Amino acid sequence: MFRTEFDGARAGGVASDDIALPLGMPAEGAASFSQLFRQTQADISDFIQNGSPAAAAPTLSAEGAALLQRLGGGSAVAGPADAPDIAPSQEAFLAEIAPWAKQAGSRLGVAPELVAAHAALESGWGSRPLRQADGGSTFNLFGIKAGKGWQGQAADAATTEYVDGNSVKTTARFRAYPDLRSAFDDYARLLSTSPRFAGAVNTGSDARAFGAALARGGYATDPAYASKLASVAARIQSLD
């Protein structure tokens, strides 16, 4: 519910049209080919953007693995040690939010790396911030929507929701803050006071428990939300 998504078609700077088809694609008719190609594109985009989940299980289809190899992406079965390196821009983002992530984590009983991972997942590592109508930042790194009870500033932005497993593009109203401190304070207040997210509090460094509790509480409609959060957290934790 609280989540704003970005279009993964160009994740990692790789446009959909730039991905070559692998060899040996099954000839089962145009409909199945189209469906398989779309799934393969989604696999590749998600892998490039988020890395693989922390669990030691394959994250790509066989076709996706073939595409990844042709793109020079390495193994299709990856754990935290195999996750893509943190880019300089991502390191800069983590450094910028570190003080606020630490404070919020302390209030929530959650490792600051998990708070940072949540901000990174929601904002595309700070590269896709929610904007005000005049182009200024809302500082809303967590994609928190402005409900009826919200008394502060707000801004309309495009978002993606999942309905019955299908992604739907829509526009929603999101909270806007004057600075990062206010954004992290509101985030910590929301999670610590709402019964819906009680399971996310005091989860320590357990990224999967944290993400699963957020998903159960309705923070996001993406069915893979917990795994994506765990993947980003694993990348950040690998820096220690």
Side-chain angles (χ1 to χ4, degrees), residues 44-87:
I44 290 296
S45 293
D46 185 66
F47 189 93
I48 292 173
Q49 177 64 34
N50 298 312
S52 61
T59 61
L60 299 180
S61 63
E63 292 76 17
L67 273 176
L68 186 63
Q69 290 290 348
R70 292 186 64 173
L71 289 169
S75 172
V77 180
D82 300 314
D85 293 335
I86 300 292

Side-chain angles (χ1 to χ4, degrees), residues 40-137:
T40 300
Q41 289 178 315
D43 287 343
I44 290 296
S45 293
D46 185 66
F47 189 93
I48 292 173
Q49 177 64 34
N50 298 312
S52 61
T59 61
L60 299 180
S61 63
E63 292 76 17
L67 273 176
L68 186 63
Q69 290 290 348
R70 292 186 64 173
L71 289 169
S75 172
V77 180
D82 300 314
D85 293 335
I86 300 292
S89 60
Q90 295 171 341
E91 289 187 354
F93 171 73
L94 294 176
E96 181 182 14
I97 67 172
W100 320 124
K102 183 176 181 180
Q103 289 184 12
S106 179
R107 290 175 60 183
L108 295 170
V110 172
E113 293 85 1
L114 268 59
V115 176
H118 200 185
L121 177 63
E122 288 289 344
S123 67
W125 297 85
S127 67
R128 299 173 178 83
L130 292 167
R131 295 289 184 184
Q132 300 272 17
D134 61 2
S137 177

Side-chain angles (χ1 to χ4, degrees), residues 175-202:
R175 300 182 185 186
Y177 308 99
D179 49 41
L180 285 176
R181 179 196 291 272
S182 300
F184 279 81
D185 281 350
D186 188 50
Y187 168 78
R189 181 168 50 251
L190 172 67
L191 296 193
S192 62
T193 61
S194 173
R196 293 167 56 189
F197 305 118
V201 178
N202 295 320

